[in-house]
Amino acid sequence: MHKKRDETLKVHYYSKHLQKKLDLLDVSQAAVIEAPSGYGKTTAIRDYLEGAADRGGDVHWFTAADEAPQSLYRRLCREIEKIDERTGERLRQIDFPNAFTIGDACDTIRSVECHRKTWLVIDDFQFFRAALPLPFSTALLNHNSDKLCVVIITQTLGQDFFSAVAGRGILHITTYDLQLETEDIRSYYALTGADITGEAALKVKKYTDGWIIAVYLQLCAFRETGKFSDEAVLRLMEHLVWNKMRDEQQVFFMQISMFNACTVRDMCGMLSCTALPDYAVKSLSVPFIRYIADRQCYEFHSILFELVRIKRGERGEAFEKECLIKAGDLCRREGRTAEALDFYVQLKDYERILSLDLSQIVNAGIGDGSSAFFKIAPEIAKNCPAEIKREYPLSMLCVAWALRLLENSSEFDKLMNELGSFLSEYGLLRAEWLLLSAYQHFSRLDNMLIAVRSADALFQGNRSRVILPEAPWAFYEYVQLVIFHINVGEADREADALEEFIALYSKITGGHGSGADVLFRAELAYLRCETIDAEIYAYKAIFIAESKRQKIIQIGAARLLGEIALLKADADDWKCAVGALEKAAAGPSQNTPMFRTLLDVVRGILLTGLKDYENVADWLKTADFTSRGLPASVKRNALATHLFYLLGRGEFARFIGLGQAHWLDSYTVFSKHLHFFLMAIGYISLGDRVQASESLERIAESSMSDGWIHYFVAFSWMLKGLSDELIENKYPHILPMFIKYKEKYATGWIALRNSIIADELPCNLTEREREVALLVAEGLRNNEIAKILFVSENTVRAHLRAIFQKLDIDRRAKLFQKLK
């Protein structure tokens, strides 16, 4: 039994069973304290670790909150720095972990060191878990320091979390451990001077189920009335806490409940005073409010917070509006634009929304702090009174840009026409309007260029305040051919037009889109099998994009370098390409949830290209697109990744059905090109050679018009020779190049895959047998394998006999099944 008396002489009581578990914190490397709100989790850990310094240890307390993921992560980095400066600094350099940096982040957090016994407590871990990737959380618990104990205090976690940390010897304190039994209740009450019978203690247990906050409220009720109550906890809280407060204290609580956590400065702002009055200071001593030292703010207990919000609602609409205005105006004065926006959006106060500087919010992309603005932007465009729109023209141009980023073209056009009707024909506002008007012709470069030239004449050397470099280029599309190649046979002309457009557009916008024209040329050269030119252009695109913080273009160029590394059979270059993706992924700029989703997609494309399906993100495996609200470009690329995954799994019928269901007439030349190749692969895999040939022939002529032969080579084995026949019969003039490139591609693919992906074949196969087995699994015939490996067909057959014997199979189909 343990007890502690705090400054208010209230007793904290812990059962013997719980005390034994708490004592294990001295010898554990990780602990999870998991229970719903009101079970005294935080108090128990604070009390136990209060004497840590006397035991020669340090305690670092980090309280997570419902905040932007990057903000939470950076606060954690600062806390880690206090324990291990090197680890904390490295985590800050990596920045918020995503698909390409998660491995480095996990390795770094596992390597944390401390030189004396240290406890790192993460309170309200449920917010931490929701914000950060699961592998990072589990790596933190699985650290390598024998002097560090990571303690997480949390409400109920999902089974996925405990599955991930199962078997690691983590101390687990649960609701069961924190509940008070009948005898514990009697002992607890006795320590407070309230002697009750066993029967009374049993009644309390029945009413509360040992829930400590309810047990405490029953104690308060008993002291006041001499009996116990069967009222629910909220009613008890209302009777014993809320009703004992003066009206001014209740109003104070309702005002500050606008914030999840509130600093003294915020409280003064809500009260319009410079120092808190005595009644407010006294209110903060209520047992159900805690002070969070590392954030210098106060936080309601969740049950009291729920009660206060209910009471605020009961006060009426006028009071709610007054509180929202005060909170929003406070945040605006403090420069907390995203918070102010949230309050104004709840009010639907268009004038206050438009009075904010919206440029940074809209250009941050869809997600995180900007989500409220993107939700209300269409409503502002439709319902905001004309006189308010006229008063805030720059903000309305930001609203228009938001509509375009949402790919709401019709509403964007309507608003642009409305704004164009009252903006002056000259000056910077008209220049901004002209610049935005280029997006009314998006992907039609000739028309876009006309609009941008007109805008440039009016900007007179100034930069746009509406379109900033941070905006996601091309609405998150990282393959430039998808967007800007719209006329068959005119790819070279379009490359020149894009170069001219980007030169002018990026100057006006401070670098937005820089490198897109070079990446377009890199992609074009790659599809033409001009590998050296493609590599040079790709590196150039990365350099230009990095200098202007154009991460979408960096990603596109790095992805292409990964594909080129495959042709070169260069594992080091492939890893460098992944490194370039990691570099693009690092840092705060554009590191939004949507951007991290895009990284999952790109990583999935690279992995499926090497037949590594296991490490593709789960949501891409299951095609969980709807719940994520993906822009069209991200959804299109996510679908392609999922289709490649289905191919690898041998789910050909589903693959074809899904591909057909998502066919869009609006597909551009490149999208159609890839779509029909994939459909041909699906049909041939099901044995339908006729439909496969028809799909292939549908895009053969257009592909050849632009000199694209790459996919005829890359998919040759999956097409079971169909592309070979097509080239030989209809395009014999490129046959020598096709054969040479095909041999190079196959050799590179095998070498790269063997270097990067773990073997799926038994170790008793020789190196040559492994190469043969992988080529067979890709659908190559003996004569094709012989050409690639520079051996005779008899040698290939001899290797196959050895492979079949070692794998205990009797034909090629079973080899495919074994590898799949």
Side-chain angles (χ1 to χ4, degrees):
M1 178 165 40
H2 170 77
K3 66 177 181 177
K4 172 184 176 292
R5 293 184 179 270
D6 62 18
E7 67 275 10
T8 61
L9 300 180
K10 292 187 173 65
V11 173
H12 296 174
Y13 173 91
Y14 306 115
S15 67
K16 291 179 181 179
H17 170 75
L18 176 59
Q19 186 62 46
K20 285 180 181 178
K21 280 211 161 183
L22 290 172
D23 287 339
L24 294 174
L25 289 172
D26 280 351
V27 294
S28 299
Q29 285 186 275
V32 176
I33 293 81
E34 178 198 22
S37 180
Y39 275 89
K41 306 180 293 293
T42 299
T43 303
I45 299 303
R46 281 195 185 279
D47 285 353
Y48 183 80
L49 294 179
E50 192 177 60
D54 297 335
R55 303 197 295 273
D58 296 323
V59 177
H60 295 267
W61 198 283
F62 177 85
T63 303
D66 187 10
E67 59 189 303
Q70 290 109 311
S71 173
L72 186 148
Y73 177 80
R74 289 169 200 149
R75 284 202 300 114
L76 176 70
C77 291
R78 291 194 292 270
E79 199 64 46
I80 296 290
E81 275 188 291
K82 298 174 187 176
I83 299 172
D84 181 346
E85 186 175 356
R86 178 191 59 82
T87 297
E89 183 178 349
R90 176 59 188 144
L91 287 172
R92 279 196 298 105
Q93 291 171 351
I94 295 169
D95 204 67
F96 190 93
N98 53 51
F100 287 96
T101 61
I102 185 63
D104 195 6
C106 289
D107 289 343
T108 301
I109 195 66
R110 274 192 291 264
S111 69
V112 64
E113 294 180 354
C114 43
H115 303 294
R116 55 184 280 173
K117 184 62 182 180
T118 302
W119 290 270
L120 170 62
V121 182
I122 301 179
D123 201 357
D124 285 336
F125 179 81
Q126 65 273 9
F127 296 121
F128 186 101
R129 170 69 187 92
L132 287 161
L134 178 59
F136 186 80
S137 300
T138 55
L140 178 62
L141 289 170
N142 200 32
H143 63 85
N144 299 323
S145 175
D146 58 1
K147 293 185 179 179
L148 175 66
C149 177
V150 175
V151 182
I152 65 176
I153 304 173
T154 180
Q155 294 186 17
T156 305
L157 293 171
Q159 188 56 44
D160 60 331
F161 180 82
F162 286 102
S163 297
V165 299
R168 299 184 182 178
I170 293 173
L171 173 63
H172 191 193
I173 296 176
T174 67
T175 302
Y176 169 77
D177 301 308
L178 293 160
Q179 282 175 328
L180 297 182
E181 297 300 325
T182 303
E183 282 305 312
D184 294 321
I185 293 170
R186 194 175 181 189
S187 299
Y188 166 39
Y189 281 13
L191 288 169
T192 69
D195 291 319
I196 62 172
T197 64
E199 184 179 353
L202 189 61
K203 180 182 290 188
V204 174
K205 170 68 175 175
K206 178 183 176 182
Y207 288 159
T208 65
D209 199 28
W211 185 20
I212 187 61
I213 191 171
V215 172
Y216 171 77
L217 288 170
Q218 289 287 353
L219 175 62
C220 295
F222 181 75
R223 282 177 165 171
E224 184 175 301
T225 66
K227 58 183 180 181
F228 299 107
S229 171
D230 60 357
E231 286 186 310
V233 170
L234 266 179
R235 292 291 301 277
L236 274 174
M237 181 80 78
E238 179 180 9
H239 175 68
L240 297 168
V241 178
W242 184 257
N243 291 346
K244 295 185 180 301
M245 298 171 69
R246 291 154 48 190
D247 184 66
E248 58 190 359
Q249 291 176 314
Q250 291 178 348
V251 171
F252 170 61
F253 269 25
M254 288 186 285
Q255 288 176 325
I256 66 173
S257 69
M258 302 304 299
F259 302 93
N260 290 327
C262 203
T263 65
V264 172
R265 185 183 180 92
D266 290 337
M267 295 175 189
C268 288
M270 293 300 287
L271 292 177
S272 303
C273 62
T274 55
L276 287 181
D278 289 342
Y279 73 82
V281 174
K282 187 176 180 181
S283 301
L284 296 176
S285 64
V286 170
F288 304 102
I289 291 181
R290 62 172 172 168
Y291 180 69
I292 304 171
D294 62 329
R295 292 164 57 202
Q296 297 184 318
C297 64
Y298 289 86
E299 185 177 71
F300 287 105
H301 188 286
S302 61
I303 296 173
L304 179 58
F305 189 60
E306 182 183 354
L307 175 64
V308 174
R309 295 188 72 169
I310 290 170
K311 292 299 179 182
R312 196 179 77 218
E314 291 174 356
R315 197 86 172 195
E317 188 177 330
F319 182 77
E320 181 76 10
K321 182 177 180 180
E322 178 189 336
C323 289
L324 286 167
I325 290 172
K326 280 189 174 183
D329 290 351
L330 167 63
C331 291
R332 180 174 59 182
R333 290 194 303 272
E334 297 283 332
R336 290 145 53 185
T337 305
E339 287 182 73
L341 178 66
D342 281 337
F343 290 119
Y344 293 158
V345 165
Q346 292 179 64
L347 284 163
K348 295 191 176 180
D349 189 325
Y350 301 139
E351 184 165 11
R352 278 185 161 85
I353 291 171
L354 296 176
S355 72
L356 298 170
D357 179 1
L358 298 174
S359 58
Q360 290 294 335
I361 289 176
V362 68
N363 284 280
I366 302 168
D368 281 359
S370 62
S371 58
F373 178 61
F374 280 97
K375 287 177 183 176
I376 203 168
E379 190 176 320
I380 294 174
K382 186 177 181 180
N383 299 328
C384 182
E387 61 271 18
I388 296 179
K389 290 179 179 178
R390 289 173 181 270
E391 189 175 349
Y392 299 98
L394 185 64
S395 290
M396 285 308 303
L397 288 165
C398 287
V399 171
W401 183 220
L403 293 176
R404 192 62 190 85
L405 288 171
L406 287 168
E407 300 179 288
N408 192 338
S409 298
S410 61
E411 292 303 317
F412 171 68
D413 289 341
K414 286 180 186 177
L415 182 57
M416 286 294 290
N417 293 337
E418 182 183 354
L419 297 177
S421 69
F422 65 74
L423 289 175
S424 167
E425 289 298 316
Y426 304 98
L428 290 178
L429 288 173
R430 175 59 66 171
E432 297 280 13
W433 184 90
L434 286 167
L435 177 62
L436 276 178
S437 74
Y439 282 92
Q440 292 182 289
H441 313 284
F442 184 64
S443 80
R444 298 191 297 277
L445 287 165
D446 294 340
N447 293 332
M448 292 181 76
L449 187 56
I450 292 170
V452 170
R453 281 175 179 158
S454 300
D456 183 53
L458 293 180
F459 271 115
Q460 297 183 337
N462 292 294
R463 288 183 178 177
S464 174
R465 295 167 61 194
V466 176
I467 301 178
L468 305 183
E470 292 78 14
W473 168 249
F475 317 115
Y476 298 97
E477 178 53 71
Y478 57 85
V479 180
Q480 302 310 294
L481 280 171
V482 169
I483 316 160
F484 297 111
H485 179 42
I486 58 177
N487 295 310
V488 172
E490 296 188 20
D492 291 307
R493 186 195 67 78
E494 289 164 339
D496 293 338
L498 182 58
E499 183 177 344
E500 186 178 359
F501 171 78
I502 289 295
L504 195 55
Y505 175 84
S506 64
K507 180 190 74 171
I508 296 172
T509 58
H512 192 231
S514 294
D517 53 327
V518 183
L519 179 55
F520 183 98
R521 293 189 188 277
E523 293 164 353
L524 189 58
Y526 179 68
L527 290 179
R528 290 171 172 172
C529 300
E530 299 165 355
T531 311
I532 294 175
D533 287 346
E535 187 173 17
I536 292 170
Y537 279 129
Y539 276 116
K540 183 178 178 181
I542 281 184
F543 177 79
I544 294 171
E546 187 177 346
S547 68
K548 298 297 183 178
R549 308 189 308 281
Q550 295 304 290
K551 295 200 168 192
I552 301 297
I553 296 163
Q554 280 180 260
I555 286 171
R559 178 203 64 86
L560 187 59
L561 286 172
E563 301 284 353
I564 293 169
L566 186 151
L567 284 168
K568 296 168 62 181
D570 194 324
D572 288 337
D573 273 9
W574 194 90
K575 290 172 183 174
C576 283
V578 172
L581 282 166
E582 291 174 350
K583 191 172 184 179
S589 176
Q590 294 183 355
N591 196 2
T592 64
M594 193 59 67
F595 186 70
R596 294 191 288 276
T597 294
L598 180 64
L599 290 172
D600 277 347
V601 172
V602 179
R603 181 171 177 268
I605 289 286
L606 289 174
L607 291 173
T608 55
L610 289 175
K611 309 295 184 188
D612 180 6
Y613 305 108
E614 184 63 30
N615 291 310
V616 173
D618 288 341
W619 70 270
L620 287 167
K621 294 177 184 177
T622 59
D624 178 21
F625 305 153
T626 306
S627 63
R628 292 174 173 263
L630 302 180
S633 62
V634 180
K635 186 175 182 180
R636 181 173 54 243
N637 288 312
L639 175 64
T641 307
H642 180 65
L643 288 173
F644 281 119
Y645 173 75
L646 292 179
L647 269 183
R649 302 287 296 176
E651 298 182 42
F652 304 122
R654 185 178 177 190
F655 166 85
I656 292 173
L658 192 61
Q660 290 178 343
H662 285 81
W663 165 253
L664 299 173
D665 291 333
S666 59
Y667 271 2
T668 60
V669 174
F670 178 82
S671 301
K672 291 177 182 177
H673 179 77
L674 182 57
H675 172 85
F676 283 113
F677 264 110
L678 293 179
M679 289 300 98
I681 293 169
Y683 285 123
I684 198 73
S685 299
L686 287 176
D688 191 340
R689 197 173 183 84
V690 174
Q691 289 217 62
S693 296
E694 289 178 359
S695 294
L696 205 56
E697 288 174 3
R698 285 188 68 173
I699 37 85
E701 193 62 39
S702 63
S703 299
M704 294 305 164
S705 297
D706 286 303
W708 296 357
I709 66 171
H710 168 76
Y711 284 129
F712 291 94
V713 172
F715 296 142
S716 171
W717 301 278
M718 301 177 81
L719 288 167
K720 303 187 186 305
L722 272 184
S723 59
D724 303 60
E725 293 174 14
L726 181 70
I727 298 296
E728 188 174 348
N729 295 330
K730 292 195 173 183
Y731 307 98
H733 62 286
I734 66 168
L735 185 59
M737 176 196 273
F738 175 84
I739 293 172
K740 180 181 177 181
Y741 194 74
K742 180 179 173 182
E743 290 174 356
K744 185 177 181 181
Y745 188 90
T747 303
W749 187 88
I750 293 167
L752 190 62
R753 191 174 191 280
N754 284 345
S755 297
I756 294 171
I757 307 299
D759 282 333
E760 297 167 319
L761 293 167
C763 59
N764 62 341
L765 293 184
T766 67
E767 187 62 34
R768 180 63 86 188
E769 288 167 353
R770 291 169 186 273
E771 292 177 342
V772 171
L774 287 169
L775 289 171
V776 169
E778 285 300 304
L780 271 70
R781 293 168 289 198
N782 287 355
N783 63 334
E784 293 174 318
I785 297 172
K787 288 178 183 178
I788 291 169
L789 299 180
F790 301 101
V791 297
S792 68
E793 286 189 54
N794 286 335
T795 301
V796 173
R797 281 192 286 270
H799 285 313
L800 277 174
R801 285 194 295 271
I803 292 166
F804 290 168
Q805 184 177 1
K806 290 179 180 180
L807 299 183
D808 193 25
I809 56 178
D810 58 5
R811 55 185 179 274
R812 299 167 89 98
K814 290 188 177 179
L815 176 58
F816 174 79
Q817 290 294 329
K818 199 170 241 341
L819 276 174
K820 187 180 77 169

